[in-house]
Amino acid sequence: MRLWLLPLLLVLAGCQTAPSALPMAEPRPAAECRWPADGASPESLLRRAVSALEADGFLVRHTDMSLGLVSAERSRILPGYGGFDDPWERSGFFGHYGLGGHRGGFSGVGIMVGFGGASSMTRDATELERVSLVAGPEEVRVSRDIQVFDWRGELRQSRSASATDFCSRLHRAIEAMPAGEAP
């Protein structure tokens, strides 16, 4: 073996290191997103959770009684969010300018004045909010995340949103739901 190859192998071996910390939700879920079950059965908690989430505008996507899991989501349009990093996407209400053509081989300078058309009105982003609730015999845990997709369907933002206000509001709504009236 050549002697110059040994230092090179040692340098390359030093590049293979493990991460100092495993990935975690940022920001960390609030303490209010975990609460004791207070003797209620997981099935009763899940039924009340489904009713509370549906009353808050969520669409329940999945339930699994054996796991004690409810998954729900809701979406909304974010007007004015589309094309926030592309200067050619939204140029304002009264016009657009451009250099060169891209259709039919035409090249030149053009200025267009108008009201933007329908395409600029429909290029808004969509916010998708997902909630998962796990009810066990001892405690209930909630996790929530929010994702923003632009009009092309590309992910623009993703974050953990297990915040104090949401979890406290959901906990109060579940507790206020009578056990007998839940579906």
Side-chain angles (χ1 to χ4, degrees):
M1 183 174 202
R2 299 186 195 262
L3 214 48
W4 62 270
L5 195 55
L6 186 59
L8 179 65
L9 288 175
L10 289 174
V11 168
L12 290 176
C15 294
Q16 297 295 323
T17 61
S20 61
L22 294 175
M24 296 177 62
E26 292 293 333
R28 294 187 56 82
E32 286 79 6
C33 293
R34 298 176 89 134
W35 62 85
D38 292 332
S41 71
E43 292 82 15
S44 172
L45 285 169
L46 288 180
R47 285 187 180 94
R48 291 188 286 162
V50 165
S51 296
L53 288 166
E54 287 178 341
D56 200 18
F58 283 91
L59 176 63
V60 174
R61 290 289 183 186
H62 182 74
T63 58
D64 190 336
M65 289 291 192
S66 64
L67 296 175
L69 173 70
V70 173
S71 298
E73 66 183 35
R74 67 179 168 191
S75 64
R76 67 182 182 112
I77 301 296
L78 300 175
Y81 191 92
F84 67 95
D85 61 350
D86 189 354
W88 295 98
E89 288 297 323
R90 284 190 192 265
S91 61
F93 191 67
F94 280 110
H96 188 80
Y97 55 90
L99 300 173
H102 24 153
R103 297 186 200 231
F106 173 77
S107 179
V109 176
I111 297 176
M112 178 187 81
V113 177
F115 288 98
S119 64
S120 67
M121 300 294 186
T122 59
R123 292 184 178 182
D124 293 323
T126 303
E127 179 184 77
L128 180 63
E129 182 179 359
R130 291 186 176 136
V131 174
S132 294
L133 182 136
V134 178
E138 289 89 30
E139 75 174 353
V140 177
R141 289 177 290 162
V142 177
S143 68
R144 174 178 165 235
D145 68 87
I146 295 177
Q147 297 174 327
V148 177
F149 296 91
D150 69 5
W151 65 276
R152 292 182 189 107
E154 295 175 6
L155 181 65
R156 291 296 183 179
Q157 188 181 67
S158 180
R159 63 187 165 91
S160 174
S162 300
T164 300
D165 59 337
F166 176 80
C167 291
S168 297
R169 197 171 59 244
L170 181 61
H171 185 193
R172 285 191 305 271
I174 291 171
E175 293 297 319
M177 185 69 57
E181 292 182 20

